[in-house]
Structures are given as C-alpha cells and as structure tokens.
Amino acid sequence: MTIRSTVNVVFHDARVIDPLLGRDGVGDVVVLDGIIVERPGEVPAGCVHVDCRGLVIAPAFVDLHCHLREPGFEEKETVASGTAAAAAGGFGVVCCMPNTRPPLDSAARADAFSEIVRRDARVRVLPIAAVTLGRRGQALVDIRALASAGVAGFSDDGDYVADTVVMRDALSQAMGLGLPVIDHAQDGRLVAGGVLNEGHVARRLKLRGMPAEAEELAVARNIALARLTGGHVHIAHITTARAVEMVRRARNEGVWVTAEVAPHHMLLTDDDAMMLDSTGVPRFVNQAKVNPPLRTRDDVAAVVRGVSEGVIDAIATDHAPHTLEDKSGSPGEAAFGISVFETALASALTASEQTDLSLARVVHCLTAGPAAVLKEGMVRPCLEPGSPASLVLFDPETKWTVDVSRFLSKGRNTPLEGRTLQGRVIATFVDGSCAFVSDSVFGERTGQRMLNPDGGDAVDPLPDIPNATQER
Ligand code: DOR
C-alpha cells in the first residue's frame, strides 16, 4: 500500500504558510508531476484546479510522537492503518515509539521494521529506538548501531528512564550523533496506580491521582543532565505549568532542552475525565485516561501559552490507539492513551480560539518546530520549488463533529467523540503523491466529484486524480 501516482494540481488563492521559507500570504501552489513548480510556463491540460479561497496550504505536518503498534499489537494499529490515519490528519512524517513487541532496541529490529514501513506506509515513518534494552530501564542500547540504522532518536516512552546514570550516558552518546533523547518525564513510582490528575476531580471520584510534581521532578532531573552532558533532551508530552516554566528558564540559560505538547493537553482538562451517569453519579471517563493525564485549566492555559511564546517547540500527537476492549473495564484496568491523528489539527485550532495562539504558530509547531528537534537535515518540511510536494490543504474555520466510525485509525479511543471542533484537513500529499483526500470537499472545490462515486471520503489515495480534468 505504498503511495502510487503523481499528480498535476494547481491550488489557487490559498493562504500559504511555510515557516521554514518564511512565507505567509495568499497565493497559488502549482504541483506538476508531483513536483512543486514556482512559475510554470504552461499548466498542462488535464490539470486539477482547486479553488482554495479561505483554505490554508502548509508543508505536510511532522509528528514527533506516535504509536503505530507494529510489531506485536496489530489489533490496535498497524503501520498501514496508522499511516493512513496520519495522512488523514495532515501528517507527512511520523516518528513512532518503540513500545512494541518486541521493542525496537537493536539495529536488526530497526531493519526489520523498515521493511514493514517500505511495504505498508502511506507517509514517511521515522522509528525512535528504545533507550534501554527491552525498555527495562537498565542497560543502554547500542546507540551508535541504531543511529547507523537510521533511527530518529531514543526513548523508553511509556516509561521514564529512572536511572540517572543510564540517562546521562544516553544523552552523552546520542549527542555525539546529533540525536535527541526523548523522555517520558514522569517519576513512575509517584504515579503508580494513578489514573488521572491528582486534584479535585480525582478526589470527587475517589480515584488515585497522578501528581504534577511527578512530571516536574523528572523535567528538573532531565534539565540537570542535559546541562551536565551538553546533550539534547526532548521532553515528551509536557503538561504542567511549572514544567513549562522550567523549560523556559533552562533554554534561556542555554541548556539543550526542547519540548512537545499533545493536542489533548492543549484542549481538555481533568474535568473532561468525569461525567455524571443517568442517576447523577460521577463516573470516570475511560476514554480520557491518558498518561500523562489531562491536567487543570491553569496547566492547559500554560501549555498553550508555551506554544504561543516559543517555549514549546512542537505539537506532537502521542497517537496511542487501543482496542475498545483495552479501554474498557474499571478505571484502573483501562489502558492509557488516545487516538489522536485525526483530531490533532482541529484540537490545536480549537484550543487556539480565544487565546493568543495564532494559526501561523500552530503550523510552525506542526512543521518547522518538530523538524528542528530532529537531527539537522532529517526532515525539511517546506514548499521549496523543485522538491516533491509534501503538503497539507486544510480549512481552518470549518466546524465538524468527531465521529470515530469515520476514523481510518483502528483506534477509536477518544474522549472527543461527539465534540464539535474547528479546522479540517482536506488533502495531504507526500513526496509528490496524494496520500489522503476528502473527496466531498475536494470535489466541491474543483466543481466535480472526482473520486468516490458514493461520495464518501476517500480511504485510498487516488489514482484518478491525474486524469480528472476541471478547468476553473
Ligand atoms: O497514554 C499513553 N499511552 N501514554 C504513553 O506514554 C504510552 C501510550 C501508549 O503506548 O498507549
């Protein structure tokens, strides 16, 4: 299921936001034979013309953090289903975490995974290797061999690298290779048995909480080790106001620390983890169970400000698909995680309403921001003429209601089901080919229904596009 055909498309009158090239203004984007062309002498007959008034074109998004679950948990997600969902979310590059079975902790496993990617991926996939063998937190992986195998960084995500010496050595060794160590910064013993943020909601539900301090201790430790080694620590899914302030201060002091925030931590609070049942009894919402947990309103405001002010580099999905079964049972039994790819942009744009967070900054944190966290040159999300088109077309204003039955991800686990969000991806091109298109909207914008005769959103990338002619 690799990407198939190249396309000839002219996108007319879009707002083009390209943070790397410093472009933000209304204009056309021309793609001929899959390549971005600056000033085409002549647009060939048979080219698709898209009226993009009111729409945005940006480089396809880069996700620093997702779970594709393969190998080992294919019932939750596969490279095929996960990257289809990523494309539907506007992503052209995704970095996937190694908490698979077996975990990606050796060059041989990285090679085996690359084979799956070559066969099945619809977008670019950059694997992140474990920091420790078996993700057991003890012996360091062969950092150099994994770097040679092409991994994008190292993380025991899902677990904190609690051993300070192991983390120090990982930072020192990865630094020499220009790669980040990405830490699930949260003291595991302080949150053991917890299911949601420690606070008034946890108390009301009489459930064990996960204190903000567990994250803040780990962020402080990581900053200290980055200062000690000169290495690059990247804080995964930051959630607390005080952690954001620590990162701000450390960066001002020149410590090499970067940070990402997940869209749900920009939008939802621990109040969303509770609902009243039909008899008025408060209940925990398993779909809102995520690690780190949804925090308070003040924390949400602080992370959104952190994005706005440039303290947080990237919006990263932490797409964590699970089966319905895995998300059911008691609060303690349900798995941690939210399926995020297909609501990521809309969550960020909805969160940006009524705050200072601009659309341009959201796009930055989905493109140039995450690219700068990765090793220089690993990805270059921009609309440079002469390069194969990797771009996303989206409507920043349209409101839509989340319906998990339409997800391309196998993971239907989201607390956003039924919620109305703002901002919708219309099409994603990756390396010159169409990886996702919303047939209905694309059809409207070109004046004809080009793809699925039944009018549903396209699930497959569409060989019909090159042949579909429509003059404006
Ligand atoms: O909620 C989470 N789910 N947080 C993690 O750190 C891991 C992830 C998963 O793999 O399901």
Side-chain angles (χ1 to χ4, degrees):
M1 204 186 53
T2 41
I3 298 170
R4 327 84 303 256
S5 55
T6 55
V7 283
N8 292 326
V9 189
V10 184
F11 299 97
H12 294 271
D13 304 320
R15 177 174 169 190
V16 183
I17 304 178
D18 186 336
L20 261 184
L21 297 187
R23 179 173 176 195
D24 185 349
V26 173
D28 295 349
V29 174
V30 182
V31 179
L32 297 182
D33 287 331
I35 304 291
I36 296 177
V37 176
E38 188 155 33
R39 292 187 201 290
E42 208 171 282
V43 175
C47 200
V48 177
H49 292 265
V50 191
D51 175 359
C52 296
R53 282 173 292 185
L55 306 183
V56 172
I57 290 188
F61 302 147
V62 177
D63 186 17
L64 290 177
H65 188 146
C66 72
H67 300 270
L68 296 179
R69 305 299 193 204
E70 200 171 353
F73 300 101
E74 288 82 356
E75 71 284 5
K76 296 176 192 274
E77 195 78 290
T78 60
V79 168
S81 63
T83 57
F91 294 91
V93 180
V94 298
C95 301
C96 61
M97 287 296 172
N99 59 341
T100 47
R101 194 171 52 205
L104 199 161
D105 62 359
S106 70
R109 287 181 178 163
D111 291 344
F113 182 68
S114 297
E115 273 309 306
I116 302 174
V117 167
R118 248 191 295 282
R119 188 185 69 213
D120 291 345
R122 193 174 290 204
V123 305
R124 273 186 73 194
V125 177
L126 302 174
I128 291 165
V131 176
T132 62
L133 290 173
R135 295 180 62 258
R136 284 189 291 272
Q138 290 159 5
L140 210 52
V141 296
D142 187 336
I143 298 253
R144 186 169 290 280
L146 279 155
S148 301
V151 304
F154 299 90
S155 181
D156 276 357
D157 182 65
D159 293 309
Y160 175 50
V161 180
D163 188 311
T164 300
V165 171
V166 169
M167 186 65 175
R168 179 200 63 189
D169 293 349
L171 284 165
S172 303
Q173 292 187 28
M175 174 184 62
L177 302 158
L179 295 173
V181 180
I182 303 166
D183 199 28
H184 183 124
Q186 182 177 248
D187 185 300
R189 293 182 66 200
L190 267 189
V191 297
V195 294
L196 78 166
N197 181 48
E198 185 160 304
H200 72 283
V201 181
R203 284 194 290 278
R204 180 147 182 221
L205 289 167
K206 299 190 173 56
L207 291 172
R208 185 168 300 183
M210 303 165 79
E213 285 78 1
E215 177 168 319
E216 292 147 7
L217 281 167
V219 169
R221 192 279 315 248
N222 285 337
I223 288 170
L225 291 179
R227 182 186 289 114
L228 176 68
T229 58
H232 175 190
V233 71
H234 178 73
I235 308 296
H237 39 52
I238 199 165
T239 64
T240 89
R242 285 186 295 264
V244 173
E245 285 318 301
M246 288 182 206
V247 171
R248 186 197 304 274
R249 223 172 309 128
R251 286 163 74 111
N252 287 342
E253 290 167 6
V255 178
W256 196 0
V257 54
T258 53
E260 67 185 36
V261 63
H264 38 279
H265 291 125
M266 298 171 67
L267 184 66
L268 302 175
T269 68
D270 54 357
D271 286 313
D272 293 294
M274 189 188 83
M275 58 171 284
L276 298 180
D277 73 9
S278 53
T279 61
V281 176
R283 302 268 182 221
F284 180 63
V285 177
N286 282 2
Q287 298 297 357
K289 183 177 177 185
V290 64
N291 185 12
L294 303 175
R295 300 285 188 193
T296 67
R297 201 186 295 192
D298 286 349
D299 292 313
V300 167
V303 294
V304 171
R305 213 176 314 117
V307 171
S308 193
E309 294 175 355
V311 180
I312 293 173
D313 306 81
I315 298 171
T317 66
D318 195 10
H319 175 75
H322 289 289
T323 63
L324 284 178
E325 221 178 6
D326 293 336
K327 287 297 281 186
S328 58
S330 68
E333 286 164 344
F336 285 105
I338 298 177
S339 180
V340 179
F341 277 146
E342 291 158 269
T343 55
L345 173 70
S347 294
L349 292 180
T350 305
S352 71
E353 275 186 322
Q354 295 164 355
T355 71
D356 289 342
L357 178 57
S358 67
L359 173 59
R361 181 70 197 158
V362 168
V363 169
H364 178 96
C365 286
L366 287 163
T367 56
V373 171
L374 297 171
K375 184 175 176 164
E376 210 181 328
M378 196 167 267
V379 296
R380 197 171 141 72
C382 69
L383 304 172
E384 194 130 60
S387 59
S390 285
L391 60 84
V392 55
L393 173 68
F394 66 90
D395 182 337
E397 298 293 340
T398 199
K399 292 199 162 55
W400 59 287
T401 300
V402 178
D403 171 2
V404 294
S405 72
R406 297 176 72 87
F407 275 13
L408 301 187
S409 170
K410 288 191 187 186
R412 306 273 161 105
N413 48 305
T414 174
L416 294 172
E417 167 71 354
R419 292 267 296 241
T420 297
L421 302 178
Q422 177 180 327
R424 187 135 212 199
V425 172
I426 297 171
T428 309
F429 290 79
V430 179
D431 291 334
S433 295
C434 181
F436 169 79
V437 64
S438 163
D439 178 28
S440 44
V441 183
F442 210 69
E444 265 166 39
R445 291 288 179 154
T446 57
Q448 72 178 81
R449 186 165 296 288
M450 291 179 299
L451 309 170
N452 291 344
D454 65 348
D457 280 355
V459 173
D460 284 318
L462 302 159
D464 310 10
I465 286 184
N467 304 326
T469 43
Q470 172 65 34
E471 296 303 325
R472 264 174 109 217

